[in-house]
Amino acid sequence: MELHQLEYFVAVADEASFTRAAAKVHVAQPGVSAQIRRLERELGHPLLDRSGRSVTLTKVGAAVLPHARVALDAVARARLAVDDLAGLVRGQVSVGMVSGCALPVVAELLAGFHQSYPSVDISLTDANSDELVDALVGGLLDLALVGSAGRPTPGVETAVVVDEELVAVVAYGDPLSARTTISLDQLCDRPLISLPRGTGVRAALDRACAGAGFEPRIAFEAGALPVLAQLAGHGLGVGIVPSSTAKDNAGTLHALAIIRPRLRSRLELAWALTEASSPAARALVDTARALLARPAAAGSQPAA
């Protein structure tokens, strides 16, 4: 029994005609007839009744037909699996990362993916979180590390890498350095230093200030947390940073817990898989999920 015999048999059963079946499978009609007769001789029973104006199934043919369809479907799925693997060999993935944030987990993810799929090309770009999310939705990126402070964008799945409380930091000698806590409304008239719009930290700050009824007075925007810490350390304003950044700069900056309300920001890996996603993109997301499922995958890194 050969696959092409099953294919011809199913085609004749579907078309109720040897002529139409031959056209469907792009084989001359005598070839289709000969192969089906060989199949019938092997099974020891006629599968088709050729006596009428149209070809019909015999009882044996009707019993065999579902199994023939299953066999052909299994072969088609096997070929699809091979095509997917071939796509991984020839594929390309695009990864985005929020500006000014370098997490070891991203390098570990890309290194592990490259080890598993060495022939897949990887491109890396950086931008603000809102731009990265737009690129995910638009199909320009396959995976991105983004800062977030709200709900995920529809169609975008996320996995939290870091979730941190935001604090205020000032230079030693600032009047606020005598305090350990401060409410958000007490910062309404102070010059603030923050990451730019489009980052998770800034989104958390803007949302909280709007809820408190004022617009934050942003004196400086810094694209990276180390630069922001340096500006605050020179007394140019109150920095709004993740708690880990405050700890890393404890020698030059005094941290105050922000209360009423408390602010938090997250770093998340995000993706937007669709039916059109490439095999390489799906493999990248699977690699990311497996990495994040490991204990302490993210480490203690600042949420941008």
Side-chain angles (χ1 to χ4, degrees), residues 269-285:
L269 281 176
W271 57 87
L273 289 181
T274 66
E275 292 183 359
S277 297
S278 69
R282 293 183 180 278
L284 177 64
V285 172

Side-chain angles (χ1 to χ4, degrees), residues 7 15 27 41 49 70 93 100 131 166 192 201 254 281 285 298 303:
E7 181 185 5
E15 300 296 331
V27 176
R41 285 197 298 271
D49 184 350
V70 169
V93 293
E131 297 171 324
L166 301 182
L192 303 181
V201 169
H254 174 75
V285 172

Side-chain angles (χ1 to χ4, degrees), residues 77-96:
R77 285 187 278 111
R79 288 172 176 163
L80 180 60
V82 171
D83 289 343
D84 281 352
L85 289 176
L88 286 175
V89 172
R90 300 186 300 268
Q92 179 176 349
V93 293
S94 298
V95 179

Side-chain angles (χ1 to χ4, degrees), residues 10-208:
V10 170
V12 173
D14 288 343
E15 300 296 331
S17 164
F18 279 93
T19 301
R20 290 193 296 271
K24 183 177 182 179
V25 297
H26 307 292
V27 176
Q29 181 178 333
V32 172
S33 298
Q35 290 300 324
I36 291 180
R37 288 195 181 279
R38 285 184 58 188
L39 178 61
E40 289 175 323
R41 285 197 298 271
E42 183 175 345
L43 293 175
H45 294 276
L47 303 177
L48 299 169
D49 184 350
R50 302 164 174 82
S51 61
R53 296 183 61 181
S54 61
V55 181
T56 60
L57 291 167
T58 65
K59 289 184 178 180
V60 174
V64 170
L65 182 61
H67 300 288
R69 293 191 192 278
V70 169
L72 293 173
D73 182 61
V75 171
R77 285 187 278 111
R79 288 172 176 163
L80 180 60
V82 171
D83 289 343
D84 281 352
L85 289 176
L88 286 175
V89 172
R90 300 186 300 268
Q92 179 176 349
V93 293
S94 298
V95 179
M97 187 163 58
V98 63
S99 298
C101 180
L103 283 183
V105 69
V106 175
E108 186 178 354
L109 166 63
L110 297 183
F113 180 76
H114 178 67
Q115 184 176 8
S116 298
Y117 307 101
S119 297
V120 176
D121 294 329
I122 303 172
S123 65
L124 184 63
T125 186
D126 69 317
N128 285 343
S129 295
D130 54 353
E131 297 171 324
L132 295 175
V133 171
D134 288 343
L136 286 172
V137 174
L140 300 178
L141 289 176
D142 299 305
L143 185 79
L145 178 71
V146 300
S148 175
R151 296 179 179 177
T153 301
V156 175
E157 296 181 59
T158 61
V160 176
V161 180
V162 179
D163 186 341
E164 279 196 88
E165 186 173 11
L166 301 182
V167 300
V169 292
V170 295
Y172 287 104
D174 186 285
L176 292 180
S177 63
R179 305 179 53 169
T180 57
T181 63
I182 191 168
S183 62
L184 186 64
D185 59 4
Q186 291 175 315
L187 293 173
C188 66
D189 294 326
R190 290 293 303 253
L192 303 181
I193 308 171
S194 175
L195 293 177
R197 293 185 185 277
T199 61
V201 169
R202 182 61 176 273
L205 175 63
D206 287 347
R207 184 177 293 108

